[in-house]
Amino acid sequence: MSDPYLCPNCKTNRTRFNIIDQVPKSIKIDPQSGEIIEENIQNLDPFHLPYRGPDYKIQCGVCGLIEDERLFVKRAQHQQQGL
């Protein structure tokens, strides 16, 4: 998180952002009722894939866009190359 950001949506915000921590929790639910049967499953069964997404996402503090950090970094790099 030491790279400059630029919002790819509003294209003006370079300073106001929110970091959203993503904390995955594996659960198993009852297919009829939707009730949680099991939480924080340590040993996932073969058909339950573990979470493979980013640890956090970034939200623009101006327009509210929520995306992966790399999009904000790439937009800032693209803007700097054009100057």
Side-chain angles (χ1 to χ4, degrees), residues 28-74:
K28 197 171 195 177
I29 64 171
D30 181 274
Q32 277 75 37
S33 68
E35 185 178 328
I36 295 176
I37 299 171
E38 211 176 337
E39 284 187 66
N40 293 324
I41 304 167
Q42 297 303 317
N43 297 319
L44 298 175
D45 61 50
F47 298 107
H48 193 141
L49 295 175
Y51 178 73
R52 293 191 180 120
D55 292 335
Y56 59 91
K57 289 204 174 218
I58 305 297
Q59 180 183 31
C60 175
V62 174
C63 73
L65 176 73
I66 300 173
E67 285 293 343
D68 289 344
E69 179 186 33
R70 63 184 171 77
L71 268 75
F72 290 88
V73 171
K74 289 291 185 189

